[in-house]
Amino acid sequence: MEQEKLAENTQIQDVLNNINDVIFGKEEIVKLSLVALLTEGHVLLEDVPGVGKTMLVRTLAKSVNCDFSRIQFTPDLLPSDVTGVSIYNPKELEFEFREGPIFGNILLADEINRTSPKTQSALLEAMEEKSVTVDGETRRLNSPFFVMATQNPIEYEGTYPLPEAQLDRFLLKLRMGYPTYEDELEMLARNKKHHPIEEIQAVMSQEELLLSQEEAKSVYIDETIQQYILNIVTRTRSHHSIYLGVSPRGSLALMEASKAYAYIEGRDYVIPDDVKYLAGFVLAHRVMLKAEARYQGKSSEEILDSIIQSAHIPIKKGFGE
């Protein structure tokens, strides 16, 4: 079993290397995106245009040999443009269902906050249920199924911000940021003749990805680590600056993300540092600050970081040996 686990993690490392060959200097974002994929979760990527959000998703899809779909969200986009629509076939004298882009394996939902709440709900329902209902018939989505939604934090005119209940459906909220001078110089050098994504080959099949997802779920997490997760989560519900704390869905998300991160790191057990590292990415977008905290310029990331730093880290003799 140990040799199989080692071989599988070597393949996971190949996926990371593949993506890092295209997306320069964003190793952390790449690894966190893979964490979400392994947990069957989804990512909300908030950043300015042109920093490589689309390229990240395309490279990830190509590396794991999955179908890539993209939806450019606009104010006039309809739910049927996402899920698909039934069209009448006069030859067969019946309606035929034409699948929408959501039936791909890896979906880029570009600028999700630019479309109406009705269309947003169609996507977010599919993310949660792994199925869509059209004309009274429920259709299962393909597996694996992974959504990376993007939104521009600068331009808010004409947008429909995601409500807290919908933000809660994303496993992680990430920001890429601008590359360093050295990384951007390397990017320019590698793009002189052709884009690096043209040379990317699949290093994992869909079947192997599904197997990795199952193995990530089986990673051991001790009861003391679960208590550590709840210690952090429950503090968000009683903090003086937080109006709405983390829900039980957030507790489950942090546990599953920690297991996937441990798996990527080559371990079959979770350690407290996994939880401590991931807590900000998993929980920050799930809390709602009080008005006075926002007026004081506080952010959910800063408050959550203080909670994490003050939470007792469990120590168990012999743990991880």
Side-chain angles (χ1 to χ4, degrees):
M1 177 63 185
E2 193 64 34
Q3 291 181 346
E4 292 178 3
K5 172 73 75 173
L6 186 62
E8 191 66 39
N9 278 335
T10 300
Q11 201 169 32
I12 290 290
Q13 189 60 50
D14 289 340
V15 174
L16 294 174
N17 292 338
N18 235 21
I19 304 174
N20 288 327
D21 284 342
V22 177
I23 309 297
F24 305 111
K26 299 299 176 184
E27 290 81 4
E28 181 181 59
I29 299 298
V30 170
K31 184 176 288 188
L32 290 170
S33 299
L34 192 56
V35 165
L37 179 60
L38 288 175
T39 59
E40 300 180 66
H42 309 285
V43 173
L44 179 62
L45 195 55
E46 185 177 77
D47 221 319
V48 296
V51 293
K53 300 186 293 292
T54 301
M55 199 56 57
L56 169 62
V57 189
R58 284 183 58 196
T59 310
L60 177 60
K62 198 169 182 180
S63 298
V64 296
N65 198 29
C66 286
D67 294 331
F68 170 74
S69 300
R70 176 179 177 174
I71 306 174
Q72 184 66 49
F73 282 87
T74 55
D76 61 346
L77 197 74
L78 299 174
S80 58
D81 295 326
V82 176
T83 60
V85 64
S86 295
I87 299 177
Y88 185 71
N89 186 335
K91 291 184 178 180
E92 302 295 332
L93 301 179
E94 62 181 17
F95 284 91
E96 293 180 349
F97 180 68
R98 301 287 178 88
E99 294 183 349
I102 203 168
F103 283 88
N105 296 120
I106 294 182
L107 173 66
L108 173 63
D110 211 1
E111 295 191 287
I112 187 174
N113 58 332
R114 289 204 175 277
T115 196
S116 67
K118 186 176 182 179
T119 305
Q120 291 175 358
S121 297
L123 172 66
L124 294 163
E125 179 185 0
M127 288 164 48
E128 181 71 16
E129 305 297 334
K130 300 293 192 296
S131 64
V132 296
T133 302
V134 180
D135 296 332
E137 183 177 347
T138 300
R139 292 176 169 85
R140 296 292 300 174
L141 298 179
N142 297 327
S143 189
F145 176 64
F146 172 71
V147 174
M148 181 171 284
T150 71
Q151 60 182 14
N152 185 346
I154 305 299
E155 298 178 4
Y156 286 107
E157 186 176 350
T159 63
Y160 304 86
L162 294 173
E164 284 69 22
Q166 294 183 351
L167 282 173
D168 200 34
R169 298 182 186 275
F170 288 96
L171 179 78
L172 305 170
K173 183 178 180 182
L174 306 176
R175 295 181 177 88
M176 291 188 72
Y178 290 113
T180 64
Y181 181 90
E182 292 76 15
D183 290 329
E184 194 161 359
L185 189 63
E186 177 69 15
M187 180 191 70
L188 294 176
R190 293 200 185 187
N191 280 269
K192 282 182 179 179
K193 295 183 179 179
H194 56 269
H195 201 285
I197 197 173
E198 297 175 9
E199 301 177 353
I200 293 296
Q201 301 293 326
V203 293
M204 177 183 282
S205 66
Q206 291 188 29
E207 293 74 18
E208 290 167 335
L209 174 58
L210 292 173
L211 177 61
S212 293
Q213 289 178 337
E214 290 301 316
E215 289 186 340
K217 292 178 183 177
S218 65
V219 168
Y220 173 74
I221 180 166
D222 193 78
E223 184 178 351
T224 58
I225 307 295
Q226 294 175 323
Q227 292 171 354
Y228 180 44
I229 291 173
L230 285 181
N231 189 12
I232 294 173
V233 168
T234 53
R235 287 178 181 226
T236 67
R237 300 169 186 170
S238 58
H239 196 279
H240 64 276
S241 295
I242 296 178
Y243 172 72
L244 182 66
V246 177
S247 68
R249 180 187 285 150
S251 304
L252 291 170
L254 183 52
M255 181 179 72
E256 294 303 321
S258 299
K259 289 161 67 175
Y261 185 79
Y263 178 74
I264 292 174
E265 293 295 309
R267 286 182 272 105
D268 58 1
Y269 58 90
V270 176
I271 61 175
D273 282 347
D274 297 333
V275 176
K276 186 175 182 180
Y277 170 68
L278 290 168
F281 300 109
V282 178
L283 304 181
H285 63 287
R286 302 174 190 268
V287 299
M288 189 174 178
L289 301 186
K290 292 181 179 178
E292 53 265 32
R294 296 198 304 270
Y295 293 150
Q296 294 170 7
K298 296 180 181 178
S299 68
S300 55
E301 288 83 3
E302 292 172 347
I303 293 174
L304 193 60
D305 184 61
S306 67
I307 291 174
I308 295 168
Q309 296 301 326
S310 63
H312 174 68
I313 299 176
I315 299 175
K316 185 175 181 180
K317 185 177 180 181
F319 182 76
E321 293 180 357

